[in-house]
Structure formats: structure tokens, C-alpha cells
Amino acid sequence: MVQPIYLYGSEVLRQEALEMDITNKEEVAALVQDLKDTLAVADGCGLAAPQIGVSKRVVLVDGRGMVDVYDYLKDFLRVMINPVIIEESETKCQYNEGCLSVPGIYADVIRPDKITVEYYNEDLEKVTETFDKFACRIVQHELSHLDGGMFVDIVAPIRKKIIAKKLQNIAKGKVGTHYRSKIK
């Protein structure tokens, strides 16, 4: 079911998400379906459970819509349950990021250019996978939501000053989206 996306200023986005109980298969399946349905109408490349108001460690990353820019993402769709970064490169790279919870704001963010993540997939199988390039960026962006972080927290200080007023407006509900959204 399509859920509203919680916007900057919502408390759930600043909480550390709880581990998902993978023995409750019905709850896992329902949350994953909600993430898929919501992301499909919001037209993004990733969504974390806290962004739909559920403080659980589950993310959906979907780079298939970016195939015109990054052809290697043509099959990139992952459900990651209880993901943990077990290794990250010392080498960093910079990409311009945006977020469905921070509509209309984009900024360059520096993150590791390669990570290895251990997680349970949609079939509840344990997976260890290494990501690089833009796939790595999408995964890191979504995983940060599970720890109460957002990309606007790690932008350059001057950029933070530039976007401060826009962030205040989002937190006050003074923003429009083409998808259902809320602040709570």
C-alpha cells in the first residue's frame, strides 16, 4: 500500500531504527510491499522504512530508473533487511544527492566509493555484497536513514548555511510534493 513519505522535521527520521524481526514473515512482506508501492509513485531510487514512518532497519534501493545515466544499474533492485556495513573504502567520491524526505534540495556529498554490506534479502537469505559507483551511493544514502542521518547533515558547512531556510520551510510543511507526504 502506498504510504506517505515523512519529510525533514519528522521525528522518525532522526531515530535509530530497530532491527526487523525476520521470523515475522508477514510483517516483513507487508513492509517491503509498502516500500515498493510508495517508491513506485514517488519516483525515487531508494526508500528506507523510517521514511514511511516505520522505525525498522529495512531499505529498498532501485537504480533501474537511472539506467539512462548509469547503464550498469539496469538490474539494480535490492531489498535490504537489517543491513550492516562491514567494510568501506578509504577512498572517497563526491556525488550530488537529493532525498524524497527533503524535496527540492540537492547537494554534493562525500562518501566512501566502495562498501561491503551484509543483509537479509527479500527471501530472508543472508547476503554479503560489495557495491561501488552510483549503486554504492544509493545504498549508503538509504542506510544512513536507519541511523537517523540525512544527507543534509554531511554537506559542506557553506552549503548548510545556503539551504538552512529551505530546510526550515520543509519542517514547517511549506513545501509541495508530487507524492503523499507528511511531517510528524
Side-chain angles (χ1 to χ4, degrees), residues 48-124:
Q51 290 180 274
I52 61 169
V54 180
S55 189
K56 296 290 183 175
R57 298 189 76 79
V58 180
V59 301
L60 170 65
V61 291
D62 185 355
R64 298 173 302 173
M66 308 267 313
V67 74
D68 56 329
V69 179
Y70 306 108
D71 63 344
Y72 55 86
L73 294 176
K74 66 181 171 63
D75 297 318
F76 187 68
L77 174 66
R78 305 285 189 283
V79 170
M80 305 173 100
I81 302 164
N82 298 332
V84 176
I85 296 175
I86 57 174
E87 189 176 343
E88 60 183 44
S89 67
E90 290 183 27
T91 318
K92 309 280 187 203
C93 64
Q94 181 173 293
Y95 279 103
N96 194 264
E97 293 187 26
C99 182
L100 293 170
S101 293
V102 190
I105 296 178
Y106 300 89
D108 289 339
V109 178
I110 297 170
R111 297 185 190 263
D113 68 357
K114 187 184 239 185
I115 60 170
T116 300
V117 182
E118 196 171 81
Y119 64 94
Y120 290 92
N121 66 16
E122 191 172 2
D123 297 321
L124 303 178

Side-chain angles (χ1 to χ4, degrees), residues 6-7 34 74 77 89 105 131 147 173:
Y6 284 67
L7 300 180
D34 285 353
K74 66 181 171 63
L77 174 66
S89 67
I105 296 178
F131 302 97
D147 295 323

Side-chain angles (χ1 to χ4, degrees), residues 1-18:
M1 180 185 308
V2 176
Q3 300 296 326
I5 294 178
Y6 284 67
L7 300 180
Y8 182 88
S10 297
E11 190 177 311
V12 70
L13 297 175
R14 293 307 191 173
Q15 299 169 349
E16 185 170 340
L18 303 171

Side-chain angles (χ1 to χ4, degrees), residues 13-27:
L13 297 175
R14 293 307 191 173
Q15 299 169 349
E16 185 170 340
L18 303 171
E19 248 190 42
M20 186 78 205
D21 177 4
I22 62 170
T23 64
N24 189 337
K25 294 179 181 181
E26 294 80 21
E27 184 181 7

